[in-house]
Amino acid sequence: PLSPHLSVYQWSVTMILSILHRITGIILSIGLILFVIWITMLSGDIISYQKFITIMQSFPGKTLLIGLSYAFFFHLCNGMRHLVWDCGKGFGKNIVYLSSWLILILSFVLTYLYWRFLWNCFHSCFLTLIRMTQVSQHLIGSTKDYLLF
């Protein structure tokens, strides 16, 4: 090759973010394929959808979903920085390094807050569903007892 090899350059946070931005774009494209598979399973029979949900609820599935959400938030934050750059702002050396670290931290924080929100939302819904199921089972059980006697 005509250009120097990567080992010649001193790695900086801006280089790493540039590479991560491209990688997260590819990951989000793969995530779109996963989304299409989910929609396809949703429109199909219940057994295939349950298999898909079981896979996504496993440890590797949850790790994949958390990774996809991190990729989304990182790509979003870094894309907003690029929009600021397109306006001709934020090119000072200190600003570039500060915004790089801010993007890394903010993308982790947004991912954490997103999953915290999902946990709180669905956990309370799940507990309500369990309570409703217990009440309905109790009512059905008492009705059966009444009908038997």
Side-chain angles (χ1 to χ4, degrees), residues 18-39:
S18 176
I19 293 168
L20 276 177
H21 190 75
R22 295 157 203 250
I23 291 172
T24 55
I26 293 168
I27 290 171
L28 289 173
S29 299
I30 294 168
L32 183 61
I33 294 169
L34 185 66
F35 178 72
V36 169
I37 291 170
W38 175 66
I39 294 294

Side-chain angles (χ1 to χ4, degrees), residues 66 69 73 108-124:
I66 290 171
S69 61
F73 287 118
F108 275 111
V109 168
L110 287 173
T111 303
Y112 171 77
L113 291 175
Y114 173 72
W115 283 99
R116 178 76 185 229
F117 169 76
L118 288 179
W119 171 258
N120 289 339
C121 180
F122 288 113
H123 185 68
S124 62

